[in-house]
Structure formats: structure tokens, C-alpha cells
């Protein structure tokens, strides 16, 4: 970005994982980027990782609005050290946090959201239940229906049908509720997710959504922005990337390398 406007990279927590990331992968990302000359900051929002919980904040921290203040404080710290703005990287609930903070603070010039599960978190929704209901995308299960191995495992009792059905049904209920909400509001008010991406684009902020190709978050993406985020195609600097054969946490070193490439 030139010597006059250096940019740092800010990593956010994935769920309740500390700033080292799942299996220390965020440490590896930061070190790889440092070798390329990039400065990065990894933080634990209050109540996550090594940061103590604040009593004035909700018990279920990852999807609340409260940690946005911690991200803004991190941006202030970077600004005090000469970094005019930041590229923010957030996996899972960290993607949710990065998205909503970017809407508040234009110093988030670039935003990478990895396997985002929910654009909007409904107040009162239980994080523990949501984690139990976490499943792969509906498209994944449709494809598996036509594979002989699936039916063999089903007959042998190797498929947890109840958990899968519960998770997919819960996601479809949320998807239907969002559609009804959009219809009731005319489908084009400032509360829609597309309008929020339009607001980011209008301010010149860039957004990248990265998904494992069978991740359950793809259903959420389709509900708000069309299959594979098709509605973002008309917006500048907004795009979606799929990682084939990757799990939710990008456990494979090959997938982590691919993520760094992107």
C-alpha cells in the first residue's frame, strides 16, 4: 500500500479458541506472512483464550456484539503504531465479528471471512445447541444420497440420521424465516445482508468469503446472497472462494497452504 499507508493484518478468534488458532494454525499463518514482510496482530477478545471475561458482557461471547469494542481497540493500537488500516481475518464466529465490526469501522479495509456460519445471530439462540446441530451443507447430503457407500453405512448404523436431520431442519427453518423477513420488508431494506455488503463496497472496503466446499455455512450464504454468493458478483471487490475437500477447521496442512495462497 506504499510507505505512507502501511497496513497490518488482524487475526480474530475462531469460536472460543485462543489467538494461536485451531492446532496453532494462526501462528503458522502469522509467521508465514511475516516472512513476506507483513505485520500481524493476533488478539483474544475478552472472555476468549487468555483474556478474562468482563462481567458486563454476555455469557455467550462469540456471537455477541460486545467483542466489536475489542476489535476497535486493536485497530486503535495499530493506528498508534503507524498502521492506517487493517486486513482482518476471522474464521467461523470470528468471521461474524469481523463482518459486523467492518460495518462500524472503515479502518477494516479488507476482510476475509472463513467458514462463516451466521451473518446474523438471533438473540436468545443457544451457542451450545447450535454447535450440536452443526452439519455439512444440504447440497453435500443431497450428493451423498446417490452414493452406494452412504446406504451401506446407513444400514450398518454408521450414519447419525437424527443429528443430521435436526441440524439441516434447523438451518432450513432459519433460512425460511429470513426469506419471510425479507418479503415482509420488501426485500430491499438496510437490514438485508446484501445491503450491508453494498455499504462496505460503497466505502471501498473489500470482502472475501472462503468456505470449505461442503461446509454448512454455505446454506447460510445461499439464504442471504444466493448459491455460492451469486448476488455479490455485481459488487466490486467482493468474492467467494471454495476450498475443495476441506473440513470446517482447515485441519489439513494442504488446505492451510491454499488458504495462505488465497
Amino acid at each position: 500500500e506504499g510507505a505512507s499507508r502501511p497496513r497490518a493484518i488482524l487475526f480474530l478468534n475462531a469460536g472460543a479458541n485462543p489467538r494461536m488458532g485451531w492446532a496453532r494454525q494462526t501462528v503458522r499463518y502469522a509467521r508465514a506472512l511475516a516472512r513476506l514482510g507483513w505485520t500481524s496482530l493476533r488478539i483474544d477478545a475478552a472472555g476468549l483464550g487468555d483474556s478474562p471475561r468482563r462481567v458486563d458482557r454476555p455469557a455467550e461471547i462469540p456471537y455477541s456484539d460486545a467483542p466489536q469494542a475489542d476489535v476497535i481497540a486493536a485497530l486503535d493500537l495499530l493506528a498508534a503504531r503507524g498502521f492506517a488500516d487493517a486486513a482482518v481475518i476471522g474464521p467461523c464466529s470470528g468471521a461474524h465479528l469481523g463482518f459486523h465490526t467492518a460495518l462500524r469501522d472503515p479502518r477494516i479495509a479488507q476482510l476475509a471471512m472463513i467458514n462463516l456460519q451466521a451473518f446474523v445471530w438471533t438473540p436468545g439462540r443457544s451457542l451450545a445447541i447450535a454447535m450440536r446441530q452443526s452439519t455439512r451443507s444440504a447440497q453435500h447430503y443431497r450428493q451423498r444420497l446417490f452414493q452406494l457407500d452412504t446406504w451401506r453405512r446407513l444400514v450398518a448404523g454408521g450414519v447419525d440420521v437424527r443429528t443430521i436431520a435436526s441440524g439441516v431442519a434447523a438451518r432450513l427453518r432459519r433460512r425460511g424465516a429470513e426469506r419471510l423477513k425479507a418479503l415482509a420488508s420488501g426485500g430491499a431494506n438496510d437490514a438485508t445482508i446484501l445491503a450491508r455488503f453494498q455499504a462496505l463496497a460503497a466505502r471501498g472496503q473489500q470482502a472475501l468469503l472462503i468456505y470449505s466446499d461442503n461446509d454448512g455455512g454455505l446454506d447460510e450464504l445461499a439464504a442471504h446472497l444466493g448459491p455460492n454468493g451469486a448476488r455479490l458478483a455485481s459488487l466490486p471487490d467482493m468474492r467467494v472462494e471454495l476450498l475443495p475437500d476441506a473440513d470446517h477447521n482447515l485441519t489439513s496442512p494442504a488446505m492451510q497452504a491454499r488458504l495462505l495462497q488465497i
Side-chain angles (χ1 to χ4, degrees):
E1 297 299 319
S4 61
R5 287 183 57 80
R7 176 170 297 165
I9 298 170
L10 176 61
F11 288 97
L12 305 181
N13 296 91
N17 287 305
R19 63 194 177 279
M20 66 189 67
W22 176 260
R24 293 182 59 82
Q25 63 180 257
T26 309
V27 175
R28 290 194 288 274
Y29 296 149
R31 289 176 178 174
L33 290 165
R35 288 192 290 270
L36 297 173
W38 289 93
T39 296
S40 66
L41 172 64
R42 298 176 288 113
I43 65 168
D44 287 341
L48 300 176
D50 293 326
S51 290
R53 184 189 162 204
R54 290 180 46 166
V55 295
D56 59 337
R57 293 192 178 180
E60 290 191 346
I61 299 164
Y63 284 97
S64 74
D65 292 337
Q68 293 176 29
D70 300 330
V71 181
I72 291 171
L75 294 170
D76 291 341
L77 173 67
L78 290 169
R81 298 193 177 196
F83 296 96
D85 50 31
V88 170
I89 300 175
C92 197
S93 63
H96 175 275
L97 174 59
F99 178 59
H100 288 277
T101 310
L103 291 164
R104 290 179 56 184
D105 197 320
R107 290 179 298 177
I108 298 180
Q110 297 170 314
L111 175 63
M113 295 171 276
I114 305 165
N115 285 329
L116 173 70
Q117 299 297 291
F119 285 104
V120 177
W121 189 260
T122 307
R125 183 180 172 195
S126 168
L127 180 59
I129 292 175
M131 289 175 67
R132 286 200 301 271
Q133 291 178 334
S134 178
T135 55
R136 296 188 180 185
S137 69
Q139 176 64 23
H140 167 79
Y141 293 115
R142 283 195 294 269
Q143 291 171 346
R144 295 289 293 180
L145 279 175
F146 297 97
Q147 296 180 16
L148 181 59
D149 179 63
T150 301
W151 293 99
R152 286 174 176 162
R153 291 179 59 215
L154 183 63
V155 171
V159 177
D160 189 349
V161 176
R162 181 175 296 181
T163 298
I164 292 171
S166 174
V168 172
R171 196 180 296 137
L172 290 175
R173 284 196 298 273
R174 290 196 303 273
R175 185 169 177 175
E178 290 295 335
R179 284 180 173 175
L180 287 173
K181 183 178 177 181
L183 287 171
S185 63
N189 67 359
D190 289 340
T192 67
I193 299 304
L194 179 59
R196 296 182 193 187
F197 276 97
Q198 289 170 334
L200 293 176
R203 293 196 310 215
Q205 292 165 281
Q206 300 174 323
L208 170 63
L209 288 142
I210 302 169
Y211 289 92
S212 303
D213 64 351
N214 287 315
D215 193 80
L218 287 168
D219 289 342
E220 176 83 355
L221 178 69
H224 292 283
L225 299 170
N228 293 339
R231 293 178 197 147
L232 292 177
S234 62
L235 298 179
D237 296 318
M238 303 282 162
R239 65 190 177 98
V240 177
E241 289 270 358
L242 299 182
L243 292 173
D245 303 318
D247 63 1
H248 178 76
N249 293 317
L250 306 186
T251 307
S252 160
M255 286 304 103
Q256 293 175 31
R258 175 65 180 136
L259 179 65
L260 271 172
Q261 272 188 327
I262 294 172

